[in-house]
């Protein structure tokens, strides 16, 4: 981040930093250094090449960022605010990098830790914390991701095994995963299956030609009579509550993550408008530009305060999913609007990946869509306010 001669930190006008504990500050500053020195230099090329920079996995693991909220099993046992700060600093680099950590931590390690057997935890969690095993999470299906209760993927008992059939779509990390946590209908309710990459009948195919989240792997997963032993079924849940509670964890992290993307765009705009001289003065001296940048700061500040409060509520064990919905909706909307406006402020240069806004802008199209679209979160808040379920 650029240092400027201003009284307040332009990235943190309400001094959220002063609300953080020493441990939280250490996490934030360590991950920020990693993002600045190791990740940001790689992300533009990774985005342009449509590839995930796998060389970062070891360093991310070394810093304790995988399964960071889990106690034991070689995980760091950090609090929710620290997890949020990790997401923020990683997404300042790129949403694809934060996605990798969200999926591994909130969507794969969390359900194994929360709903798994002791044997499953011992087998997967330490390896996943070290980045030696990669996971993915299969909930969305081709016919409609917003309504996962209507999933077609199903599993039937066959002796002491299960036979899994169906397909999942848009699955982050799908082709590099050693284990996929796959949610399927059964006669006993919706269950989670740990599908291992070499199981006969299981295949994954990368989705090409994405214009968003290009520095992240996205895949379709296919299950053709995959035989799964009972030992690979998560014993602790048999309903939609299983996958939805994982989403609550990941969505919480996203509320913080997108703040990082928005900060990166504001930082770029502050530099650019200082340097760009039009009609005899730098753009930053015009009222219109100052109003636009002030508006970015207003949105970032609101998002920061919302996420910090959400994190404190989560750490107190009082979190409600509709609170997460409100913050996911607000913060993603703020970030994508900031990125789009930043792209415009840079004029023609704004369409070049040499500057960060277009990459963040394109990424945020995915982020505002996955983990529940904006409409889904608006309806979740509407349901909380009225007590009426308007999804159907
Ligand atoms: P509904 O009747 O509301 O709930 C069924 C059961 O689940 C419980 N529940 C939740 N639990 C925890 N967290 C939540 N957010 C929860 N929401 C609901 C609920 O209490 C109930 O429990 P029980 O015990 O009574 O059975 O279910 P519904 O079918 O009406 O669904 C409502 C709706 C639309 C909100 C839900 O289907 C939804 O969230 N849809 C969006 C799906 C979605 O977000 N998919 C994301 C896929 S993963 C992904 O995108 C990863 S991107 C990763 C990356 O790269 O970063
Ligand atoms: P649909 O559900 O078909 O929605 C289409 C449109 O209809 C949307 O605008 C939606 O808001 C709107 N809509 C839905 N319901 C209503 C309603 N009741 N009223 C009015 N409008 C409505 N999924 C996983 O399981 N695992 C992953 O790792 C994963 N990673 C992803 C990575 C990327 C890059 C992307 C893009 C997606 C990923 N997803 C993943 C899938 C993601 O969660 C879904 O795309 C998302 O939930 C929306 O589902 P859909 O794409 O099928 O859209």
């Amino acid at each position: 981040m650029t240092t400027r001669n201003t009284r307040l930190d332009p990235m943190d006008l309400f001094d959220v930093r002063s609300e953080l504990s020493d441990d939280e500050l250490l996490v934030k500053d360590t991950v920020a250094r990693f993002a600045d020195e190791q990740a940001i230099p790689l992300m533009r090329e990774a985005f342009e090449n449509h590839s995930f920079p796998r060389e970062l996995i070891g360093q991310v693991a070394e810093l304790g960022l995988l399964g960071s909220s889990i106690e034991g099993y070689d995980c760091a046992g950090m609090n929710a605010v620290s997890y949020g700060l990790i997401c923020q600093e990683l997404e300042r680099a790129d949403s694809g990098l934060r996605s990798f950590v969200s999926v591994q931590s909130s969507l794969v390690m969390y359900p194994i830790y929360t709903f798994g057997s002791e044997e499953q935890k011992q087998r997967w969690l330490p390896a996943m914390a070290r980045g030696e095993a990669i996971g993915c999470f299969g909930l969305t299906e081709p016919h409609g991701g917003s309504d996962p209760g209507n999933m077609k993927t199903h599993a039937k008992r066959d002796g002491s095994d299960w036979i899994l059939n169906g397909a999942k779509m848009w699955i982050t990390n799908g082709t590099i995963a050693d284990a996929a946590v796959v949610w399927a209908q059964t006669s006993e309710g919706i269950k989670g299956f740990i599908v291992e990459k070499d199981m006969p009948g299981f295949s994954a195919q990368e989705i090409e030609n994405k214009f968003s989240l290009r520095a992240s792997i996205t895949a379709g997963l296919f299950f053709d009579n995959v035989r799964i032993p009972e030992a690979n079924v998560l014993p602790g849940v048999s309903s939609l509550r299983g996958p939805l509670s994982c989403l609550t964890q990941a969505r919480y992290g996203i509320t913080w993550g997108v703040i990082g993307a928005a900060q990166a765009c504001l930082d770029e705009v502050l530099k650019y408008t200082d340097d760009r001289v039009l009609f005899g003065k730098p753009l930053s001296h015009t009222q219109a530009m100052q109003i636009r940048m002030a508006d970015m700061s207003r949105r970032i500040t609101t998002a920061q305060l919302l996420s910090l409060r959400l994190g404190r509520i989560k750490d107190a064990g009082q979190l409600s999913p509709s609170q997460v919905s409100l913050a996911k909706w607000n913060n993603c909307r703020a970030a994508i609007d900031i990125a789009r406006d930043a792209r415009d402020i840079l004029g023609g240069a704004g369409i070049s990946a040499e500057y960060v806004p277009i990459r963040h802008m394109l990424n945020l199209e995915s982020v505002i869509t996955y983990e529940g679209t904006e409409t889904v979160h608006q309806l979740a808040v509407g349901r909380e306010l009225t007590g009426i379920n308007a999804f159907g």
Side-chain angles (χ1 to χ4, degrees):
M1 288 270 158
T2 316
T3 313
R4 290 182 191 86
N5 186 22
T6 52
R7 209 162 53 84
L8 302 174
D9 177 357
M11 298 302 136
D12 185 11
L13 276 196
F14 270 43
D15 200 12
V16 165
R17 192 177 169 84
S18 67
E19 298 289 323
L20 303 178
S21 69
D22 288 348
D23 284 351
E24 290 160 353
L25 281 173
L26 184 63
V27 171
K28 181 183 187 308
D29 292 344
T30 304
V31 184
R33 203 172 318 115
F34 165 74
D36 286 329
E37 293 172 5
Q38 309 296 330
I40 289 173
L42 300 183
M43 294 319 301
R44 171 184 158 190
E45 201 177 310
F47 185 91
E48 289 182 19
N49 293 343
H50 209 314
S51 66
F52 174 67
R54 291 176 73 170
E55 60 268 41
L56 291 177
I57 295 176
Q59 295 172 68
V60 164
E62 186 86 1
L63 289 171
L65 310 187
L66 301 177
S68 61
S69 308
I70 291 174
E71 297 279 352
Y73 304 97
D74 293 349
C75 298
M78 297 182 208
N79 69 2
V81 169
S82 297
Y83 176 52
L85 292 163
I86 290 167
C87 290
Q88 178 183 294
E89 295 309 319
L90 294 180
E91 196 149 354
R92 197 162 54 73
D94 193 274
S95 302
L97 181 59
R98 193 271 307 139
S99 264
F100 173 80
V101 171
S102 291
V103 169
Q104 182 89 343
S105 301
S106 289
L107 298 182
V108 180
M109 296 174 75
Y110 171 83
I112 293 173
Y113 179 70
T114 309
F115 306 120
S117 66
E118 190 53 38
E119 189 195 344
Q120 291 165 349
K121 293 181 207 184
Q122 295 290 353
R123 174 162 178 211
W124 292 107
L125 295 179
M128 287 181 166
R130 290 194 295 269
E132 291 162 7
I134 305 300
C136 70
F137 174 89
L139 179 64
T140 303
E141 299 192 354
H143 59 272
S146 298
D147 185 14
N150 186 34
M151 69 177 69
K152 310 289 183 223
T153 299
H154 59 275
K156 279 194 182 131
R157 279 192 187 273
D158 185 45
S160 61
D161 297 337
W162 293 79
I163 305 295
L164 179 70
N165 279 288
K168 299 287 177 180
M169 181 74 173
W170 299 114
I171 307 304
T172 301
N173 297 346
T175 53
I176 59 166
D178 300 283
V181 172
V182 175
W183 298 93
Q185 289 282 5
T186 76
S187 59
E188 298 159 35
I190 290 174
K191 285 182 167 284
F193 295 82
I194 304 176
V195 182
E196 298 179 40
K197 68 175 176 195
D198 295 329
M199 286 179 165
F202 172 42
S203 59
Q205 189 170 358
E206 187 160 354
I207 297 172
E208 312 275 358
N209 306 322
K210 288 181 303 174
F211 277 70
S212 173
L213 228 71
R214 288 173 62 85
S216 168
I217 292 165
T218 317
L221 308 183
F222 305 94
F223 313 100
D224 181 9
N225 287 315
V226 184
R227 180 170 290 278
I228 301 186
E230 178 71 30
N232 282 37
V233 182
L234 300 178
V237 73
S238 297
S239 82
L240 200 54
R241 188 175 60 78
L244 292 185
S245 58
C246 304
L247 299 185
T248 295
Q249 311 305 311
R251 291 165 175 174
Y252 161 74
I254 288 171
T255 76
W256 285 87
V258 294
I259 295 168
Q263 286 173 322
C265 292
L266 175 58
D267 193 49
E268 190 84 279
V269 158
L270 284 167
K271 277 184 280 189
Y272 191 84
T273 55
D274 248 358
D275 294 344
R276 188 79 172 166
V277 177
L278 290 172
F279 302 102
K281 60 181 177 185
L283 278 176
S284 59
H285 293 216
T286 67
Q287 291 187 352
M289 286 299 175
Q290 290 203 7
I291 290 169
R292 288 167 80 175
M293 291 187 283
D295 196 53
M296 291 181 188
S297 176
R298 171 183 66 80
R299 288 164 186 257
I300 288 171
T301 302
T302 309
Q304 284 170 315
L305 295 174
L306 216 53
S307 283
L308 181 68
R309 173 71 187 135
L310 199 64
R312 296 289 180 230
I313 294 174
K314 191 170 192 302
D315 276 325
Q318 305 290 324
L319 193 71
S320 155
S322 56
Q323 294 170 324
V324 179
S325 281
L326 190 137
K328 203 262 180 186
W329 160 25
N330 181 78
N331 293 11
C332 287
R333 171 51 59 192
I336 199 167
D337 286 348
I338 287 169
R340 287 171 178 168
D341 203 33
R343 209 289 316 144
D344 180 71
I345 287 175
L346 268 62
I351 70 153
S352 166
E354 198 180 322
Y355 299 91
V356 301
I358 192 149
R359 179 163 52 82
H360 285 297
M361 182 190 97
L362 292 169
N363 282 339
L364 289 163
E365 295 290 347
S366 286
V367 181
I368 202 169
T369 298
Y370 66 33
E371 294 285 357
T373 64
E374 188 170 62
T375 305
V376 161
H377 291 296
Q378 288 168 330
L379 293 176
V381 174
R383 180 167 69 176
E384 182 67 44
L385 298 179
T386 63
I388 294 163
N389 186 353
F391 284 108

